[in-house]
Amino acid sequence: ENAPNLSLSLNSITLVSNELSDNIVQQAPIIPAPDTSLLVQEEFYVNSDSDIEIFVRNKRLSSMTEFSSAKTVVYIHGSRIWSDNHFDLQLDNFSWMDYIAAQGYDVYFLNIRGYGRSTRPSPLTLNVPGIAAIGNTEEGTRDLAAVVEFIQQRRNIQKVILIGHSAGTGKVLRYANLYPNNVEKVVLCGASWRNPTVVPSESSIPTYRNFTAQDIKNYVQKGIPVSRKAEIIPTDYLDALWAESLASDPTSSQTDPPTVTEPNGWLNDMQTNWTTDGVTPLWNCAEIYVPVLVTTGEWDTTSPPQWQKHTVADLVNAPWKAYVELAQGAHFMAVQTNRMTLFNTVQQFLDQQNF
């Protein structure tokens, strides 16, 4: 039985449990940037499968000495842009990761296998068809599980808060299905949704593919009106994103000009599961039993708002759920000039305890 309705006011938004809110945040609140000098950073490699090492970064206040499930966040990325160059991308001297950590949270990100500094399973070739499972939802969920177990043991806690972006949301949902006792609450940004009306391609999918600076620029600007692109994601932001992409991808120097590489596991999932009727879903929103915040940008054409509304509608057993559509936001709002709208909206959900 669903929990009774509970409203939470986030500035101009009202979020109501088990009801769909179509309100759009119209203006980012004015909040000072975090003082990153107060933060401490550590990096780890966590063993996932026998031959897989997952790169993990942790940030927290240097004064933090007590740790709890309600104050522990784990972020998992989507496709093309991973954690270093999205969640912890330094723009105007701070990142989304810094912002959350500065509010008193113990914050982690991981890069699933095939991304960034995590293990790149062989074959690292771009023309091997038919074996595109590397970095798919099942493998990524195993990587997430290994990292959560590492954090549980490190901090002596049971649960964590999960934030997923894009294809990472499927891994968050699958993990929450498999390990419900390990999840405090969930944030889904630009969530994936199974859409059986899409006809899958019959062509084979290579294991990896490369992206140039222009490819990445086009991807992060997708959906933003042409007249607003330079304002919403200016050149210095794009330059910072590309520089961090190259710095965090050990394969980038193997091509001329430099490119970044990602596995096509998420694309394989889309062709074999997300768009196919009669296939057992990789996750079930009806089996999520914790508070959930679903956010998207009004300009998001990669995971459009109507997909998010389907996701929220499927969360029939969440004790509290909310949908927030962010004005002037595209799929990668965390790297936009108005990113504080996203940051503050998610932060207020993280801080809310009375669900």
Side-chain angles (χ1 to χ4, degrees):
E1 183 178 350
N2 291 335
N5 286 347
L6 174 69
S7 296
L8 170 65
S9 178
L10 297 183
N11 297 319
S12 62
I13 328 159
T14 299
L15 310 181
V16 183
S17 70
N18 290 315
E19 294 181 6
L20 195 60
S21 171
D22 290 319
N23 296 304
I24 298 178
V25 182
Q26 295 297 337
Q27 184 175 359
I30 300 175
I31 298 176
D35 183 354
T36 57
S37 70
L38 301 177
L39 304 179
V40 62
Q41 173 180 308
E42 294 182 271
E43 295 178 348
F44 310 91
Y45 283 93
V46 174
N47 291 329
S48 181
D49 294 339
S50 59
D51 57 345
I52 300 295
E53 288 191 328
I54 300 303
F55 179 74
V56 177
R57 179 174 294 162
N58 170 230
K59 289 187 176 183
R60 64 191 184 279
L61 289 170
S62 58
S63 60
M64 192 173 188
T65 58
E66 295 183 0
F67 303 93
S68 68
S69 296
K71 290 285 188 175
T72 304
V73 170
V74 182
Y75 172 88
I76 184 166
H77 60 87
S79 65
R80 301 194 201 181
I81 309 296
W82 48 96
S83 297
D84 311 64
N85 54 3
H86 187 227
F87 187 58
D88 199 26
L89 180 63
Q90 298 295 310
L91 300 173
D92 302 324
N93 300 313
F94 74 98
S95 68
W96 189 8
M97 187 179 195
D98 295 332
Y99 181 82
I100 298 174
Q103 312 307 313
Y105 285 75
D106 191 26
V107 188
Y108 296 80
F109 80 56
L110 68 144
N111 293 326
I112 68 168
R113 68 191 70 191
Y115 287 89
R117 299 179 179 91
S118 294
T119 299
R120 304 275 178 135
S122 297
L124 187 57
T125 56
L126 304 177
N127 56 357
V128 180
I131 51 173
I134 293 173
N136 66 6
T137 297
E138 292 183 278
E139 289 191 341
T141 303
R142 294 204 299 272
D143 297 341
L144 174 58
V147 171
V148 172
E149 183 179 3
F150 165 78
I151 296 168
Q152 289 172 320
Q153 295 175 358
R154 182 173 192 242
R155 300 303 193 200
N156 193 28
I157 60 173
Q158 178 61 41
K159 298 181 179 182
V160 300
I161 300 167
L162 297 176
I163 300 178
H165 177 253
S166 193
T169 61
K171 301 168 182 70
V172 164
L173 291 167
R174 182 172 174 83
Y175 180 87
N177 288 162
L178 295 173
Y179 307 100
N181 294 331
N182 293 348
V183 181
E184 180 81 6
K185 62 179 77 168
V186 165
V187 178
L188 306 175
C189 301
S192 303
W193 178 68
R194 293 184 75 245
N195 185 358
T197 64
V198 176
V199 179
S201 170
E202 296 182 358
S203 60
S204 60
I205 303 172
T207 309
Y208 290 87
R209 57 180 172 169
N210 282 6
F211 295 100
T212 64
Q214 189 62 49
D215 292 332
I216 297 299
K217 175 181 177 179
N218 293 343
Y219 188 47
V220 299
Q221 291 183 323
K222 184 180 177 184
I224 301 174
V226 174
S227 63
R228 303 290 302 280
K229 287 184 177 181
E231 169 200 350
I232 298 297
I233 307 183
T235 299
D236 59 330
Y237 278 30
L238 291 169
D239 290 345
L241 192 159
W242 182 242
E244 183 57 37
S245 300
L246 295 178
S248 58
D249 182 348
T251 71
S252 62
S253 62
Q254 298 176 10
T255 58
D256 186 17
T259 58
V260 294
T261 306
E262 78 155 348
N264 275 330
W266 71 273
L267 187 57
N268 185 69
D269 281 341
M270 188 171 66
Q271 298 291 352
T272 60
N273 187 280
W274 296 357
T275 61
T276 305
D277 256 339
V279 175
T280 302
L282 293 168
W283 63 84
N284 184 358
C285 289
E287 294 181 2
I288 302 297
Y289 303 101
V290 297
V292 182
L293 171 64
V294 180
T295 72
T296 190
E298 65 168 331
W299 293 336
D300 192 338
T301 56
T302 301
S303 296
Q306 59 265 33
W307 288 16
Q308 316 311 309
K309 295 176 185 180
H310 284 294
T311 296
V312 175
D314 290 343
L315 292 164
V316 294
N317 288 309
W320 189 97
K321 63 181 180 179
Y323 167 71
V324 180
E325 186 172 313
L326 300 167
Q328 301 180 23
H331 194 56
F332 290 95
M333 194 168 184
V335 300
Q336 294 183 186
T337 51
N338 56 344
R339 61 197 178 124
M340 290 300 290
T341 305
L342 169 66
F343 295 2
N344 191 56
T345 299
V346 173
Q347 192 63 47
Q348 291 190 57
F349 172 72
L350 299 182
D351 293 342
Q352 178 70 26
Q353 300 299 320
N354 299 319
F355 293 107

